[in-house]
Amino acid sequence: MKKTAMLIGLAAVLGFSSNAQAIDWNWKGDIRYRYQSQLKADQDDVDDHSKDRHRIRVRFGVSPWINEELSAGLQLSSGGTDPVSRNETLGDNFAADGIVLNQAYIDYHPMFLDGDVNFILGKREAKSTLTVIDDLVWDGDVTLEGITVQYGKDAKGKEKSGLCAIAGYYLVDEANWDGEYKGTSPYLLAAQLSYKGTVSDLGYQVGASYYNYVNLGHADDKSAYYDAYSEEMDYDIVELFGNVSGKVSSLPWKLYGQFAQNFADTDEHTYLDDDASTAYLVGLKLGKAKKPGQMEASVEYFNLGASSVNPYLTDSDRGDLTAQEVVGGDEKWLTNVEGFKVGAKYQLIQNMQLGMTYFNTGYADAPEGTDSDWRGHMLQADAVVKF
């Protein structure tokens, strides 16, 4: 009895209470091992024609439900400072790999608004912050930084049925410094409206987004962004998106699509091209690999004009096959690309999934002096464990 009283007293001194004990911590993580083989040239006389890599991605975090009005999130991950990749490539003489802060946010959902509105402060993954159908605008690893107001999403970032409205203010970079600040810091304004519902046996979701990048020419270190952020570039993007889903017999299916156009002024920003300002993606998914023994397959076609979306934040896998390899361009220019992606997943056992993805890509508009028929090929084989 004395030992119990002493432990209770010690807990009180250290600041623990029954309230703290009641927090639902919600620990979550995943580990992915990937073998990636990338064809660098479609030429029979090239000896070293493939770039093969073994890579890992690790994410581990907690999203505590503190009380009915307050939750938060913290996640650590592998990878460096690249905003579109949390992969760590193996093969550095067994050196230790780094861990970075991937997410850190506060979510306040006041009860005077019935808990239906989330005020989010900090750094959170794009797909939980915004309504994201696929990776035309946002790579799956992007974590936005700033302030978000959500209506129609739960605290875990999942859309509820009905109306969803989101507004956000996100910091892109600090203002350029050369003895004094040169202009206002670059930032992104985002707004979305979408609706999720059902008709008969079909589920559907439709929506629109507006992304306005402001003051990109004031970025502190333009060289880090390969001229994607400069006085000559701007992104004033309208996105339309949607999906429809159902079942054929017991087989789930989903048809989805995105369309985006950059309406920035090409007269004012000379790196932009009106004829290359649109991007679109359409895809079909069959099955759902959720329980052991289940499979799913998907196919999608994409086409991204060079001036359509932010080339530093769209999906990194498909763009890596073109400009970087053919004309020696900057590897972060992930637009001016078209092609298709085919994937399959198999739920091997509970919490473990195997997957295979194939990319076939080319130029949306081949630069002068390059082969317009050139195609890039990449194969990814994944083993993923979630816990």
Side-chain angles (χ1 to χ4, degrees), residues 38 44 46 90 130 168 171 174 256 264 290 316 341 350 365:
Q38 177 179 332
D44 295 333
V46 176
L90 305 180
L130 303 170
L171 293 310
E174 291 187 345
Y256 55 92
K290 187 175 182 180
S316 59
K341 178 173 76 171
Q350 186 174 354
D365 182 17

Side-chain angles (χ1 to χ4, degrees), residues 3-4 15 18 23 30 59 61 67 157 163 191 227 229 234-235 244 262 264 289 378:
K3 289 183 179 179
T4 301
S18 59
I23 293 177
D30 64 86
R59 299 181 297 189
N67 58 51
L163 181 67
D227 291 330
Y229 301 166
D234 192 22
Y235 308 100
V244 59
N262 183 7
M378 184 164 67

Side-chain angles (χ1 to χ4, degrees), residues 38 46 67 72 77 90 176 193 254 295 303 317 324 340:
Q38 177 179 332
V46 176
N67 58 51
S77 75
L90 305 180
N176 180 261
L193 277 176
K254 178 182 284 189
M295 294 185 65
N303 188 304
D317 290 323
Q324 179 187 5
F340 61 87

Side-chain angles (χ1 to χ4, degrees), residues 49-67:
H49 69 279
S50 184
K51 181 179 182 180
D52 294 345
R53 288 185 283 180
H54 291 256
R55 319 181 83 183
I56 58 171
R57 185 192 68 187
V58 180
R59 299 181 297 189
F60 179 70
V62 61
S63 51
W65 184 269
I66 301 168
N67 58 51

Side-chain angles (χ1 to χ4, degrees), residues 133-356:
I133 295 293
D134 207 338
D135 51 18
L136 186 72
V137 179
W138 303 109
D139 182 276
D141 284 329
V142 171
T143 51
L144 298 170
E145 302 171 347
I147 302 169
T148 308
V149 181
Q150 295 175 339
Y151 173 81
K153 278 200 170 198
D154 63 22
K156 294 181 180 180
K158 295 182 179 179
E159 289 95 0
K160 304 174 184 178
S161 294
L163 181 67
C164 181
I166 300 171
Y169 168 83
Y170 307 109
L171 293 310
V172 175
D173 196 7
E174 291 187 345
N176 180 261
W177 171 262
D178 184 15
E180 61 179 351
Y181 284 112
K182 303 294 185 180
T184 307
S185 297
Y187 60 91
L188 165 66
L189 297 176
Q192 287 188 315
L193 277 176
S194 63
Y195 190 88
K196 185 176 183 180
T198 58
V199 174
S200 187
D201 294 329
L202 298 178
Y204 71 91
Q205 185 177 23
V206 293
S209 312
Y210 175 64
Y211 303 113
N212 183 16
Y213 288 82
V214 182
N215 299 326
L216 283 185
H218 300 167
D220 185 39
D221 184 6
K222 296 183 182 64
S223 63
Y225 304 104
Y226 304 90
D227 291 330
Y229 301 166
S230 69
E231 297 287 355
E232 290 77 19
M233 295 296 292
D234 192 22
Y235 308 100
D236 198 3
I237 300 167
V238 172
E239 176 199 17
L240 304 176
F241 58 86
N243 64 61
V244 59
S245 60
K247 287 186 178 182
V248 177
S249 296
S250 60
L251 180 68
W253 61 269
K254 178 182 284 189
L255 180 66
Y256 55 92
Q258 293 175 269
F259 173 85
Q261 182 163 357
N262 183 7
F263 286 94
D265 188 345
T266 54
D267 292 331
E268 184 177 347
H269 305 283
T270 56
Y271 282 179
L272 299 178
D273 181 357
D274 275 335
D275 295 330
S277 63
T278 60
Y280 61 91
L281 177 155
V282 291
L284 174 65
K285 182 184 293 185
L286 296 174
K288 190 169 185 179
K290 187 175 182 180
K291 297 179 181 179
Q294 291 183 333
M295 294 185 65
E296 68 179 65
S298 62
V299 59
E300 63 183 42
Y301 176 80
F302 48 81
N303 188 304
L304 290 80
S307 302
S308 57
V309 297
N310 189 330
Y312 199 66
L313 298 175
T314 187
D315 179 46
S316 59
D317 290 323
R318 55 180 174 244
D320 192 45
L321 292 169
T322 52
Q324 179 187 5
E325 301 299 334
V326 179
V327 296
D330 298 320
E331 63 178 298
K332 296 305 176 189
W333 284 88
L334 304 177
T335 52
N336 190 24
V337 60
E338 65 82 28
F340 61 87
K341 178 173 76 171
V342 179
K345 296 178 181 179
Y346 176 72
Q347 193 71 24
L348 181 65
I349 57 175
Q350 186 174 354
N351 299 101
M352 184 174 184
Q353 189 175 87
L354 304 179
M356 190 82 72

Side-chain angles (χ1 to χ4, degrees), residues 26-45:
N26 298 314
W27 295 96
K28 186 178 181 181
D30 64 86
I31 300 173
R32 182 181 70 195
Y33 188 96
R34 168 173 288 175
Y35 168 70
Q36 179 171 304
S37 181
Q38 177 179 332
L39 190 66
K40 297 176 69 175
D42 278 344
Q43 300 176 30
D44 295 333
D45 58 347

